[in-house]
Amino acid sequence: MGAGSGIDTFIIKTVEWCNLNCSYCYFYHGQDSSFENRPRFMPRKTVDHAVPKIIEHCLANGISDIHLTLHGGEPLLQPKNDYVWMMSQFDKIDAAGITTHRKITTNGVTLNDEWAELLARFLVKVGISLDGTRKVHDSARVDLAGRGSYDRVIRGLKTAQKFGDKGLKVGTISVLNPFENGSVIYEHLRGLGVKTINLVLPEANYVQPLEAPPDGYAHKDLAIDIFDAWIQEDNAEVSIRFFQDAIRAVAGLPSYSDQFGFAPVNVAVLETDGSMQPTDNFRACADGMTELGLSIYRDSFDDLYNHEFFQLCRDQQLLVPEECSGCKFLDICGGGRISTRYSEKDGFSRKTVHCETLYGLFEHIETVLDKRRQEAAA
């Protein structure tokens, strides 16, 4: 490995269970069932072993900045004293000369004042899962009793936003769900004061296909409608990374979105039992696919990085599906994220199940950029 190569994103699965039961969840409703046999919470000894190995990996590979993301399950179910202790252990990484960018992905249901203060204290950026209006959100994001979670999530979002003056940065994570018009979803999120919006394609493939959209309103239509609403507002303070990366890609500039197929995915996942795995997306492909037999108690992150399966994440841009040959967006998409290409018969050799959405969005962006160039030249 040369300088600067290696793993730069570490997903820490602090909690292996959840208080919601979202219908599209790849973790609990995907193909993988390994969560059933793991501890519900990450013990401190796992973190004790992980921190020095993160430092070792980064120093050996010239990595000076890393992302640490607390994930689950639902990470805010973690005991608060364990969270505070974990943050103090992560401080050791910074003390070694490696800057940590700390994040948490939460459903927001239990996000109260005490949690918001703790997140702000340790400069942890917060991504709250909110799909849009009550209608679209509650169509999928329900609790274990089947009740919608919208009201509780909004309460958590508003609580977090109160701590903005204490340095707490809050955004939303919205799975594209064509249950509501995109312009309505965008206006709703903006009406809640959200300026950082992360749009996520549903985790799907040929084994776990996309659900048929209601009334023929497809994911492509939803993405384009949200894009148009964002462009129309023309507010530089509003960030939608999915679109920003797509614009850069269509314009011929470097883009590193992990939702397209040409970005190497240097992501390590650490499970509650100390298992070291590649990115979670493969859970939607086959049961046990991410089980590489590696453990933080005996292996290094170099062992994970150099594992044959991990190379699929690193080098997916080299695995171009034959059916994508001749596509004008091949240099942008590369066939799509590799986990979304999986089928039992053909492995990862198919094009992404999101082809229609990505192609339609790229083509729409291309038209918008061409129009703006013509207006600028006139």
Side-chain angles (χ1 to χ4, degrees):
M1 288 177 285
S5 62
I7 296 167
D8 58 15
T9 300
F10 298 83
I11 308 295
I12 314 296
K13 295 279 184 176
T14 56
V15 179
E16 202 89 3
W17 63 288
C18 191
N19 48 2
L20 292 186
N21 187 31
C22 306
S23 60
Y24 50 57
C25 179
Y26 67 86
F27 196 83
Y28 296 111
H29 293 292
Q31 305 302 310
D32 190 79
S33 61
S34 60
F35 67 90
E36 297 174 356
N37 301 313
R38 291 204 170 92
R40 299 186 82 185
F41 299 99
M42 179 173 285
R44 293 188 178 189
K45 64 179 181 179
T46 300
V47 180
D48 277 333
H49 281 77
V51 166
K53 291 190 175 184
I54 291 173
I55 294 172
E56 175 187 44
H57 179 77
C58 292
L59 293 180
N61 296 288
I63 300 170
S64 58
D65 288 77
I66 63 171
H67 297 274
L68 298 175
T69 300
L70 306 183
H71 210 281
E74 171 46 48
L76 290 189
L77 295 175
Q78 181 185 34
K80 294 182 181 70
N81 60 338
D82 282 350
Y83 161 83
V84 172
W85 175 85
M86 185 179 291
M87 290 298 111
S88 70
Q89 300 309 299
F90 290 163
D91 288 342
K92 296 177 181 179
I93 303 174
D94 291 278
I98 304 154
T99 301
T100 62
H101 304 277
R102 306 180 193 189
K103 304 176 183 179
I104 192 167
T105 298
T106 174
N107 59 38
V109 169
T110 58
L111 209 172
N112 55 21
D113 285 350
E114 187 177 358
W115 262 120
E117 191 279 325
L118 287 174
L119 294 166
R121 184 193 308 176
F122 296 103
L123 302 178
V124 178
K125 292 182 179 179
V126 180
I128 297 177
S129 296
L130 175 63
D131 291 344
T133 63
R134 181 192 304 275
K135 176 183 176 181
V136 67
H137 183 89
D138 284 350
S139 71
R141 301 189 62 79
V142 298
D143 63 19
L144 300 177
R147 299 169 301 195
S149 60
Y150 176 84
D151 287 334
R152 287 167 284 177
V153 175
I154 294 299
R155 183 174 63 238
L157 172 65
K158 291 182 177 179
T159 298
Q161 289 172 330
K162 291 189 305 182
F163 285 76
D165 59 353
K166 294 186 178 180
L168 188 60
K169 296 182 178 179
V170 184
T172 55
I173 303 168
S174 303
V175 176
L176 286 171
N177 183 356
F179 214 82
E180 181 80 273
N181 184 275
S183 62
V184 174
I185 290 174
Y186 180 79
E187 290 167 7
H188 185 75
L189 293 174
R190 291 292 295 118
L192 292 168
V194 180
K195 293 183 178 180
T196 302
I197 302 169
N198 187 13
L199 298 179
V200 181
L201 293 167
E203 192 55 54
N205 50 56
Y206 293 96
V207 174
Q208 186 168 309
L210 285 167
E211 295 183 10
D215 303 322
Y217 186 64
H219 291 83
K220 176 190 71 175
D221 305 315
L222 174 61
I224 289 174
D225 285 344
I226 297 176
F227 178 86
D228 286 345
W230 176 61
I231 290 294
Q232 184 174 355
E233 184 183 8
D234 195 20
N235 187 337
E237 294 183 353
V238 181
S239 169
I240 303 183
R241 182 184 170 185
F242 182 43
F243 293 151
Q244 290 163 328
D245 284 339
I247 289 171
R248 289 181 61 84
V250 172
L253 300 172
S255 173
Y256 304 102
S257 172
D258 61 0
Q259 300 205 64
F260 312 153
F262 264 114
V265 182
N266 294 318
V267 176
V269 176
L270 183 65
E271 297 286 350
T272 56
D273 64 354
S275 296
M276 303 163 67
Q277 302 191 355
T279 181
D280 253 10
N281 309 107
F282 292 103
R283 290 179 183 274
C285 297
D287 195 10
M289 182 174 283
T290 61
E291 301 292 325
L292 307 183
L294 299 177
S295 171
I296 199 67
Y297 296 110
R298 61 176 180 271
D299 302 299
S300 70
F301 283 105
D302 277 10
D303 293 327
L304 175 62
Y305 184 75
N306 290 311
H307 191 280
E308 180 181 5
F309 188 84
F310 198 89
Q311 293 174 19
L312 286 172
C313 308
R314 278 179 11 211
D315 302 327
Q316 60 176 316
Q317 66 268 35
L318 303 178
L319 305 172
V320 178
E322 184 177 345
E323 58 190 317
C324 296
S325 61
C327 176
K328 67 176 180 176
F329 295 122
L330 178 60
D331 290 342
I332 297 174
C333 177
R337 187 169 61 199
I338 194 167
S339 61
T340 66
R341 306 182 210 168
Y342 181 76
S343 72
E344 286 185 314
K345 178 183 177 182
D346 301 310
F348 298 104
S349 64
R350 301 283 302 278
K351 67 180 180 181
T352 175
V353 294
H354 295 300
C355 177
E356 179 183 359
T357 300
L358 291 175
Y359 190 97
L361 178 62
F362 294 151
E363 193 167 52
H364 183 72
I365 290 174
E366 187 177 59
T367 300
V368 171
L369 292 180
D370 286 344
K371 181 180 179 181
R372 293 206 165 192
R373 290 190 192 101
Q374 291 171 10
E375 291 173 348

